[in-house]
């Protein structure tokens, strides 16, 4: 990893889902696995169900579900989809440098 | 008004934010295209709403089942399907039958009834007034809860007495005189959708074999119900997708206006160093590229709703092709990467076409060819006459198209394959849009390739002649057209725009053209400004945004056209056909979709003014608009 300083920071993640749609379920499972492997002990996941609270889509400007938002460390990053492509998620979260 | 409030850093930050938003949009489309997202958030008037997209899989299942001929009907109309199923059952198996459906929430519905004896059909219809209640300990309600079929070989008179609590219900039931009954669940994909009840009144006693058959009928009906419901959901999802794209386009387009305006004006500022201006030109090219991507998205929604319209006139085909080659290939030819071989003699004639749209087709095709030529290569452009058509053919020496991909390269969002998307970027909309445009012209667009690595050939065929019917329109278009590049007398322009950045940037541009600007942030302010200058006939022209805080641009224009006969230009972020049509009706002479460039603004102001001078004073202003 490029900057060791960032390692100590807590990674605050927010996953937007729509009830139990297959992709929502897949995304959460993928996210948990990925966090345990790459961010063990340094992350927090908040799951927001937009079927129950659709108005919460506004804050992070969510258009498609599932969407993962990294709230911290800044800048805010957004990754759309079921997070099945681990490589893309890691790049998106700045856990692996973009080539 | 000046631009001093804005630093170069702010500008860079704005462009960066824009890039971020476009990135989000592209990501969203990618996720949908690759099936990684299965729900969308649509902002409606009542607030956000979530649509789950089961469509891709659902539609696939749907086609499979339809092909397999699972249900005795081709119809996806649920009520009709069930009614025909009920009729089928009473052609021998049962004397009468009833189908009940459970809904997501709410009560059980009795949706179909049938009786073998037409005279008794009205009687069995009466049962629709007594649908089962979910908590009943027997009958269809019990089957709905347990999912288990019930067989009552012989119905005793006591049984008839206990059919429901309502005396009227009991009377109808007794009058139908059932002697034996079968009640089977309608279950699909693990869910119980309803119950089908078969009755015999002729003394036939249902046995186990009859139950098997009834259960099979139940399974088939359930599949049909499931299909119809999935189809409904897929339709809704498709609609939602169109609306989603329109919203997305608007969201992305609005902030481009001030950015483009400021850049154009800075580029023309002699006080800036040449190097800075070069960088600005680069920024502008990129913003314009983004605007084009957004236009593609909008075009696609128009096409999918059958609303792309052409504005045709006599057009020199050869000139269009030559210009497209210059625009798309000029740089690569100069650098020696690309060689162009052309024979456009046959194209040296006019076609009845929408020139900007036709240019778009050749840009798309040429850009594609350039994009898919890996290092060095040649594009050959030939033309020839056919009996009623003229053909333009572009052949490149690029990566080619695999036979499997050739069949669907004209589908929106699809490039050759996913690997291609990653390697070459882009949204994959160009070919779909090009094909639609060519077909709207009455022509054809086809693609050939001998395979991967062996180049690709695209052929555009356009009809020759065929303008008779539209001749009248042509005359008018030409009368209206031909922008006058005149600077003319400075105008006093009333600019109604509530987005402060956009207002500031546009005002600066217009002032740069020598006009005097009054900015109004609302309908009320604009009307007040017009009233203040009415005595002196001071305001010459209105430019108005459509969405203002206290009303719409349409309201404003109607007032201004009516009271002061002012000509007007509408600005909107959407560019939807309804808006364009509405603004014509409201009295706007032109409708521009953001972002607006300096050149376009100049041209349109020139045109509107020209028309204004030509118009007879006695004519009301609005009917001039087509």
């Amino acid at each position: 990893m490029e900057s060791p300083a960032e390692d100590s920071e807590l990674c605050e993640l927010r996953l937007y889902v729509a009830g139990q749609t297959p992709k929502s379920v897949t995304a959460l499972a993928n996210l948990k696995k990925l966090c345990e492997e790459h961010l063990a002990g340094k992350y927090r996941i908040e799951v927001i169900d937009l079927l129950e609270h659709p108005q919460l889509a506004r804050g992070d400007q969510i258009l498609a579900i599932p969407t993962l938002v990294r709230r911290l460390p800044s800048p805010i990053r957004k990754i759309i989809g079921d997070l099945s492509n681990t490589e893309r998620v890691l790049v998106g979260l700045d856990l692996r440098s973009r080539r | 008004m000046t631009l001093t409030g804005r630093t170069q850093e702010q500008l860079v930050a704005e462009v960066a934010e824009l890039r971020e938003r476009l990135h989000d949009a592209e990501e969203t489309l990618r996720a949908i295209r690759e099936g990684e997202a299965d729900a969308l958030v649509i902002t409606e008037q009542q607030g956000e709403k979530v649509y789950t997209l089961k469509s891709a899989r659902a539609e696939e299942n749907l086609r499979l089942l339809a092909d397999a001929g699972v249900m005795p009907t081709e119809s996806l109309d649920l009520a009709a399907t069930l009614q025909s199923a009920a009729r089928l059952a009473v052609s021998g198996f049962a004397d009468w039958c009833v189908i009940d459906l459970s809904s997501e929430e709410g009560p059980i519905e009795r949706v179909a009834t049938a009786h073998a004896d037409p005279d008794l059909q009205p009687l069995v219809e009466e049962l629709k007034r007594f649908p089962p209640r979910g908590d009943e300990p027997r009958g269809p309600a019990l089957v709905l809860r347990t999912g288990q079929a019930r067989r009552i070989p012989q119905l005793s008179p006591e049984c008839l007495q206990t059919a429901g609590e309502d005396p009227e219900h009991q009377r109808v039931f007794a009058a139908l005189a059932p002697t034996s009954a079968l009640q089977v669940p309608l279950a699909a994909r693990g869910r119980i959708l309803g119950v089908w009840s078969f009755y015999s009144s002729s003394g036939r006693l249902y046995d186990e074999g009859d139950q098997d058959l009834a259960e099979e009928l139940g399974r088939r009906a359930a599949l049909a119900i499931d299909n119809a419901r999935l189809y409904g959901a897929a339709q809704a999802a498709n609609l939602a997708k169109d609306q989603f794209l329109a919203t997305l386009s608007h969201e992305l387009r609005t902030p481009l206006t001030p950015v483009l305006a400021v850049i154009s004006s800075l580029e023309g500022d002699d006080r800036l160093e040449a190097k800075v201006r070069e960088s600005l030109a680069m920024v502008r090219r990129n913003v314009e590229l983004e605007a084009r991507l957004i236009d593609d998205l909008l075009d696609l929604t128009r096409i999918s709703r059958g609303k792309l319209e052409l504005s045709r006139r006599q057009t020199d085909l050869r000139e269009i092709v030559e210009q497209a080659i210059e625009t798309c290939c000029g740089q690569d030819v100069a650098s020696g990467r690309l060689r162009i071989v052309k024979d456009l003699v046959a194209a040296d004639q006019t076609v009845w076409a929408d020139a900007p749209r036709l240019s778009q087709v050749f840009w798309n095709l040429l850009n594609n060819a350039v994009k898919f030529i890996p290092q060095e290569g040649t594009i050959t452009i030939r033309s020839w006459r056919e009996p009623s058509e003229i053909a333009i053919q572009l052949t490149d020496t690029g990566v080619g198209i695999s036979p499997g991909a050739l069949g669907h390269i004209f589908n929106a969002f699809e490039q050759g394959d996913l690997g291609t998307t990653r390697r070459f970027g882009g949204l994959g909309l160009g070919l779909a849009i090009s094909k639609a445009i060519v077909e709207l012209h009455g022509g054809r667009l086809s693609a050939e390739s001998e395979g991967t690595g062996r180049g690709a050939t695209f052929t555009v065929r356009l009809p020759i002649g065929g303008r008779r019917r539209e001749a009248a329109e042509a005359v008018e278009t030409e009368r209206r057209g031909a922008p006058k590049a005149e600077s003319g007398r400075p105008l006093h322009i009333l600019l109604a725009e509530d987005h402060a950045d956009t207002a500031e940037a546009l005002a600066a541009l217009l002032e740069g053209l020598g006009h005097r600007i009054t900015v109004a942030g609302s309908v009320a302010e604009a009307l007040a400004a017009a009233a203040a200058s009415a005595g002196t006939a001071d305001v010459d022209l209105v430019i108005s945004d459509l969405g203002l805080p206290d009303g719409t641009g349409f309201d404003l224009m109607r007032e201004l056209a009516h009271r002061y006969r002012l000509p007007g230009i509408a600005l909107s972020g959407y560019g939807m056909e309804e808006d364009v049509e509405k603004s014509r009706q409201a009295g706007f002479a032109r409708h521009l979709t953001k972002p607006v460039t300096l050149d376009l603004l100049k041209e349109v102001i020139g045109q509107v003014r020209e028309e204004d001078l030509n118009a007879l004073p006695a004519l009301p202003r609005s009917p001039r608009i087509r």
Side-chain angles (χ1 to χ4, degrees):
Chain A
M1 250 160 276
E2 307 238 299
S3 52
E6 277 191 16
D7 277 5
S8 56
E9 278 183 49
L10 183 73
C11 192
E12 230 183 271
L13 302 169
R14 197 178 268 181
L15 181 67
Y16 288 88
V17 299
Q20 299 280 318
T21 64
K23 297 298 171 190
S24 298
V25 175
T26 316
L28 184 58
N30 283 334
L31 180 61
K32 281 182 177 161
K33 183 159 155 282
L34 195 131
C35 284
E36 270 315 305
E37 278 171 22
H38 298 271
L39 284 166
K42 290 178 303 190
Y43 69 93
R44 195 162 67 208
I45 299 175
E46 183 188 359
V47 178
I48 294 182
D49 185 350
L50 290 179
L51 273 190
E52 282 178 32
H53 309 286
Q55 73 281 7
L56 293 180
R58 203 171 307 169
D60 281 318
Q61 298 179 359
I62 304 301
L63 293 169
I65 299 167
T67 292
L68 174 67
V69 177
R70 185 188 72 178
R71 310 277 302 168
L72 283 175
S74 60
I76 288 180
R77 295 244 179 259
K78 238 185 250 179
I79 298 160
I80 298 148
D82 62 4
L83 313 178
S84 53
N85 185 333
T86 309
E87 193 59 27
R88 179 154 52 216
V89 179
L90 292 177
V91 170
L93 291 176
D94 287 338
L95 292 173
R96 190 154 295 170
S97 57
R98 293 170 201 243
R99 272 182 304 150
Chain B
M1 211 175 291
T2 61
L3 292 166
T4 45
R6 212 186 212 93
T7 65
Q8 183 111 23
E9 287 82 53
Q10 280 172 319
L11 206 62
V12 170
E14 269 180 37
V15 175
E17 195 205 311
L18 208 59
R19 275 224 155 269
E20 200 56 40
R21 293 177 79 163
L22 191 73
H23 177 258
D24 277 359
E26 284 202 50
E27 261 292 292
T28 304
L29 291 170
R30 182 201 57 77
I32 295 171
R33 184 175 61 207
E34 293 180 14
E36 279 197 13
D38 56 3
L40 297 176
V41 181
I42 308 290
T43 308
E44 296 178 346
Q45 264 169 357
Q46 310 88 312
E48 282 78 8
K49 205 167 162 201
V50 175
Y51 287 82
T52 49
L53 272 184
K54 299 169 205 143
S55 62
R57 279 289 287 281
E59 276 181 309
E60 223 170 75
N61 289 343
L62 197 67
R63 270 195 295 274
L64 238 152
L65 293 170
D67 290 348
V70 176
M71 195 54 209
T73 173
E74 311 79 51
S75 170
L76 285 167
D77 175 348
L78 188 55
T81 301
L82 294 178
Q83 196 53 51
S84 65
R87 284 245 66 88
L88 192 80
V90 298
S91 62
F93 184 65
D95 290 307
W96 53 283
C97 73
V98 175
I99 300 178
D100 299 311
L101 283 192
S102 60
S103 49
E104 296 266 319
E105 61 276 340
I108 300 167
E109 281 180 85
R110 183 148 279 182
V111 290
T113 61
H115 202 292
D117 181 349
D119 290 343
L120 290 174
Q121 182 64 33
L123 188 62
V124 77
E125 285 282 329
E126 282 194 49
L127 287 177
K128 285 192 176 170
R129 282 161 42 214
F130 311 104
R133 288 198 323 270
D135 54 357
E136 282 169 351
R138 68 182 74 79
L142 181 64
V143 178
L144 260 182
R145 285 201 303 276
T146 62
Q148 298 295 319
R150 294 174 79 226
R151 180 165 63 93
I152 307 148
Q154 196 146 19
L155 279 160
S156 60
E158 298 82 63
C159 250
L160 298 185
Q161 293 300 312
T162 58
E165 286 159 14
D166 190 302
E168 186 66 2
H169 187 189
Q170 287 175 13
R171 183 191 65 76
V172 175
F173 201 67
L176 286 164
T179 51
S180 186
L182 275 169
Q183 294 175 325
V184 299
L186 304 176
R189 294 186 303 147
R191 285 179 50 221
I192 300 163
L193 309 171
V195 179
W196 195 348
S197 307
F198 305 86
Y199 297 92
S200 152
S201 298
S202 52
R204 172 179 182 166
L205 301 181
Y206 288 123
D207 61 18
E208 275 176 41
D210 292 330
Q211 183 174 337
D212 289 345
L213 178 59
E215 287 186 68
E216 178 57 27
L217 280 175
R219 271 190 291 276
R220 293 185 177 199
L223 282 174
I225 296 166
D226 201 36
N227 285 350
R229 286 189 174 166
L230 285 175
Y231 185 74
Q235 296 277 67
N238 261 340
L239 266 180
K241 208 165 62 187
D242 278 357
Q243 200 200 338
F244 165 79
L245 287 174
T247 311
L248 190 69
S249 307
H250 173 249
E251 282 289 306
L252 290 165
R253 192 186 270 280
T254 297
L256 290 182
T257 300
V259 177
L260 264 187
V262 171
I263 295 170
S264 311
S265 119
L266 284 176
E267 265 190 286
D269 190 336
D270 301 335
R271 291 167 303 175
L272 292 174
E273 280 178 44
K275 235 185 130 183
V276 174
R277 280 192 276 162
E278 260 171 47
S279 310
L280 282 169
M282 185 271 287
V283 173
R284 179 178 47 76
R285 275 198 304 276
N286 278 284
V287 176
E288 281 171 355
L289 180 72
E290 287 174 357
R292 234 185 351 261
L293 285 173
I294 296 165
D295 284 341
D296 278 358
L297 276 179
L298 260 185
D299 281 350
L300 194 74
T301 57
R302 289 193 184 115
I303 289 167
S304 73
R305 295 162 60 205
K307 288 211 166 167
L308 190 76
E309 280 174 21
L310 298 180
S311 149
R312 295 188 182 196
R313 63 174 73 178
Q314 289 300 331
T315 304
D316 184 339
L317 182 59
R318 180 173 190 160
E319 194 182 315
I320 293 220
V321 180
E322 298 267 15
Q323 276 180 4
I325 296 171
E326 180 53 39
T327 308
C328 304
C329 311
Q331 229 173 335
D332 288 294
V333 169
S335 75
R337 182 180 99 86
L338 186 67
R339 215 164 67 86
I340 300 279
V341 178
K342 63 186 177 189
D343 168 13
L344 289 173
V345 177
D348 208 355
Q349 74 162 72
T350 56
V351 287
W352 184 233
D354 183 323
R357 288 291 180 191
L358 206 53
S359 298
Q360 195 183 349
V361 170
F362 289 104
W363 287 342
N364 278 332
L365 295 176
L366 285 164
N367 280 335
N368 260 353
V370 171
K371 189 159 76 175
F372 290 113
I373 289 176
Q375 270 112 34
E376 289 187 356
T378 305
I379 302 177
T380 309
I381 302 137
R382 301 197 302 126
S383 65
W384 67 87
R385 284 284 302 261
E386 288 176 3
S388 61
E389 285 175 322
I390 183 156
I392 310 277
Q393 187 176 67
L394 298 87
T395 303
D396 66 61
T397 56
V399 298
I401 306 162
S402 72
L406 199 55
H408 46 90
I409 52 163
F410 290 114
N411 294 350
F413 297 122
E414 284 191 33
Q415 291 176 332
D417 55 58
L418 293 177
T420 318
T421 310
R422 297 207 183 91
R423 209 164 122 213
F424 295 100
L427 292 177
L429 304 178
L431 284 178
I433 293 168
S434 299
K435 186 166 200 285
I437 292 172
V438 171
E439 286 173 358
L440 273 177
H441 279 91
R444 289 173 291 154
L445 172 60
S446 57
E448 292 147 62
S449 173
E450 289 186 7
T452 311
R454 308 185 63 173
T457 297
F458 287 86
T459 311
V460 179
R461 287 186 167 79
L462 291 167
I464 305 169
R467 61 162 289 182
R468 288 175 302 271
R469 196 161 47 81
E470 295 116 320
E473 193 186 348
V475 172
E476 182 160 4
T477 308
E478 266 143 36
R479 187 183 63 73
R480 218 166 53 91
K484 279 252 162 111
E486 44 132 272
S487 50
R489 172 176 72 89
L491 301 176
H492 181 189
I493 298 175
L494 176 59
L495 175 64
E497 165 69 72
D498 62 321
H499 190 263
D501 283 352
T502 304
E504 184 189 341
L506 277 176
L509 278 183
L510 293 167
E511 281 172 356
L513 293 176
H515 303 303
R516 189 153 63 87
I517 314 302
T518 300
V519 176
S522 65
V523 173
E525 269 181 56
L527 287 176
S533 75
T536 55
D538 189 13
V539 173
D540 301 294
L541 175 71
V542 191
I543 298 181
S544 176
D545 187 26
L546 291 185
L548 293 167
D550 56 343
T552 65
F554 305 128
D555 301 335
L556 175 63
M557 192 63 227
R558 265 191 291 274
E559 278 298 303
L560 293 179
H562 175 71
R563 286 200 210 164
Y564 313 111
R565 301 200 158 181
L566 279 176
I569 298 171
L571 291 178
S572 84
Y574 281 103
M576 303 302 280
E577 307 69 27
E578 298 92 280
D579 283 350
V580 176
E581 186 50 40
K582 266 200 206 154
S583 51
R584 284 173 182 166
Q585 284 167 6
F588 283 110
R590 287 289 188 284
H591 181 116
L592 298 180
T593 307
K594 296 172 184 177
V596 178
T597 62
L598 181 59
D599 286 343
L600 184 62
L601 208 54
K602 205 153 103 184
E603 181 184 322
V604 168
I605 290 173
Q607 284 176 13
V608 170
R609 188 145 126 204
E610 171 97 350
E611 288 167 16
D612 200 40
L613 290 175
N614 292 343
L616 292 170
L619 279 179
R621 285 177 191 274
S622 44
R624 278 185 290 125
I625 306 140
R626 295 193 322 121

